[in-house]
Amino acid sequence: MLWSIALPGFGQYLNNQYIKGTVLLLLEFVINVKSHLNLIIISSFTGRIDTAIAQTDYEWLMFYPCLYMYAIWDAYHHAVKSPLATAVPFALAAYLATVGIIFSSSLRIGGVLLGPVWLPMLCCFLGLGVGYAGIGRFNRARQTGD
């Protein structure tokens, strides 16, 4: 899972899923280049949010959260043979990060424009938190018979 966080597809290589790993890695490179993700990251980390917004190809960037979260979940799922329900937090994170990308050029939080890197990341962590809280609540309810 940690290798997929570093670069989508690497976790699949460790799980001996070479074709899937290669497809994910190639998709990551294509989406990264087409969306200008590395330039956006540099601009965002240096506080030039308006520049990051101008550099972003939103039609390509919107694919990235789904690819990224799928690669992480898939590597984890196949490494530890986790139940399919563990996909819920990752799917919710991908969805909310995509929504974050959509609104990243205009949504201000506390008067601050976060842009196409920070807002989707914030939404992604929100999705993971809500998803894991939901799974925990579901499991507790199932164990107590509620």
Side-chain angles (χ1 to χ4, degrees):
M1 183 170 98
L2 294 177
W3 277 109
S4 284
I5 290 171
L7 197 61
F10 278 14
Q12 285 70 22
Y13 285 132
L14 287 175
N15 290 334
N16 298 317
Q17 296 176 310
Y18 301 112
I19 293 172
K20 187 187 292 184
T22 301
V23 168
L24 289 171
L25 191 60
L26 289 173
L27 284 171
E28 198 283 334
F29 280 119
V30 168
I31 295 168
N32 187 307
V33 169
K34 294 288 191 177
S35 69
H36 311 141
L37 184 58
N38 289 342
L39 293 173
I40 299 164
I41 291 170
I42 292 168
S43 295
S44 294
F45 272 68
T46 56
R48 296 177 293 136
I49 302 301
D50 289 331
T51 302
I53 290 169
Q55 293 169 329
T56 304
D57 185 330
Y58 286 93
E59 291 180 7
W60 279 99
L61 188 60
M62 287 176 55
F63 287 109
Y64 198 78
C66 293
L67 172 76
Y68 191 72
M69 297 313 290
Y70 172 76
I72 295 169
W73 172 78
D74 182 69
Y76 172 76
H77 175 68
H78 288 286
V80 300
K81 310 295 186 233
S82 68
L84 195 57
T86 59
V88 171
F90 294 93
L92 190 55
Y95 174 75
L96 289 179
T98 303
V99 170
I101 288 170
I102 292 167
F103 291 104
S104 67
S105 64
S106 60
L107 181 67
R108 295 178 183 272
I109 297 178
V112 177
L113 184 62
L114 297 175
V117 170
W118 301 116
L119 184 61
M121 281 178 33
L122 180 65
C123 293
C124 182
F125 289 125
L126 177 66
L128 286 171
V130 169
Y132 276 115
I135 286 178
R137 184 178 172 109
F138 176 78
N139 286 338
R140 283 190 302 278
R142 196 176 67 193
Q143 288 172 353
T144 60
D146 291 342

